[in-house]
Amino acid sequence: MSVRMKKYVGRSAVIILFGLLQACSVLPRPEIVAVEYFTLESPTVPAASTVQSDPAGPVLLIARPQVRPDLDTPRMAYRQQDYTLQYYARSRWSDVPTQLLLPGLIESFESSGHFAAVLRTGSPATPQLRLDTEILEFSLDFRAQPSRFQLRLRAQLVDLSTRRVLVSHTFLVEKPLDAQTPYGGAQAANAAWQALLPELVTFCTAALPPAQP
């Protein structure tokens, strides 16, 4: 290759490289996607020092709630049409629904004053009763107006000595959205949960067997 040809090739390579660098500088930079997380708060309960447990009451085990697979995710679910569940891309719960509900269940039954103790799965203590729950719906519903958050929970109180179901019921609470946004959904979800918990505790404690003398 001649000297003239080498210079031409070298000059062309520099021009191409400069063009590539210019192109890279004008390409849009990857967008940083911010994900917002929402929590589920329990109703305010008395401080631990003021909660009076009932020494004559039963020991209650709160089993970890069950949930169907499509709701077993921290992604915030919503419905726009029948038979379809969708999820927000950038809005999530701080944990899966089963873990969001468990602290509130324990705190609310502890503060009721009807139990000697309230346990969670894994406790070495021996319970007399067990509360089984299943989350049937935990989503924003835009199919009706006003839009709403729907919380549906099935609960069973089981006597562990006889393996008999003392009481069983499906609770449904719907709260309207103040804003058609994930934050509005989180507000409605918290309102629904705080309305359902006292109803659940009252229902279960009314079915307690009489204390043994």
Side-chain angles (χ1 to χ4, degrees):
M1 183 182 291
S2 66
V3 175
R4 170 183 276 178
M5 181 61 71
K6 289 181 179 179
K7 290 182 177 179
Y8 176 78
V9 172
R11 189 180 303 113
S12 299
V14 171
I15 292 173
I16 292 172
L17 178 60
F18 179 77
L20 290 174
L21 291 174
Q22 287 292 100
C24 290
S25 66
V26 298
L27 287 177
R29 295 185 178 182
E31 181 183 357
I32 299 177
V33 178
V35 178
E36 52 184 355
Y37 293 90
F38 299 103
T39 60
L40 195 66
E41 304 295 336
S42 305
T44 302
V45 298
S49 59
T50 64
V51 173
Q52 299 295 320
S53 60
D54 182 3
V59 176
L60 174 67
L61 170 65
I62 304 287
R64 187 176 186 269
Q66 301 297 307
V67 67
R68 64 175 199 259
D70 58 346
L71 291 175
D72 192 18
T73 172
R75 294 185 296 171
M76 183 175 281
Y78 65 93
R79 295 184 184 277
Q80 286 185 312
Q81 57 186 5
D82 294 343
Y83 320 122
T84 302
L85 192 67
Q86 298 173 274
Y87 306 91
Y88 285 107
R90 303 182 184 182
S91 301
R92 300 186 179 188
W93 296 106
S94 59
D95 209 329
V96 294
T98 53
Q99 288 298 107
L100 292 175
L101 267 58
L102 187 57
L105 289 170
I106 294 174
E107 291 173 12
S108 294
F109 278 90
E110 277 181 336
S111 64
S112 71
H114 288 87
F115 302 94
V118 177
L119 315 174
R120 66 171 65 203
T121 301
S123 171
T126 302
Q128 284 81 50
L129 303 174
R130 185 185 70 224
L131 177 67
D132 294 330
T133 55
E134 181 181 6
I135 304 169
L136 302 176
E137 193 61 61
F138 192 82
S139 64
L140 285 69
D141 189 351
F142 296 109
R143 293 172 296 178
Q145 292 300 324
S147 302
R148 59 201 174 178
F149 184 88
Q150 187 178 90
L151 174 59
R152 190 152 50 99
L153 186 76
R154 178 186 294 128
Q156 291 185 333
L157 188 64
V158 181
D159 186 327
L160 295 177
S161 63
T162 62
R163 299 294 174 182
R164 183 169 64 92
V165 176
L166 299 178
V167 70
S168 178
H169 185 67
T170 297
F171 298 85
L172 172 63
V173 178
E174 297 176 327
K175 292 295 182 179
L177 273 64
D178 291 336
Q180 310 297 302
T181 61
Y183 181 72
Q187 288 179 308
N190 275 276
W193 183 225
Q194 294 184 29
L196 189 149
L197 270 175
E199 185 180 348
L200 172 62
V201 172
T202 300
F203 179 78
C204 289
T205 53
L208 291 178
Q212 297 296 322

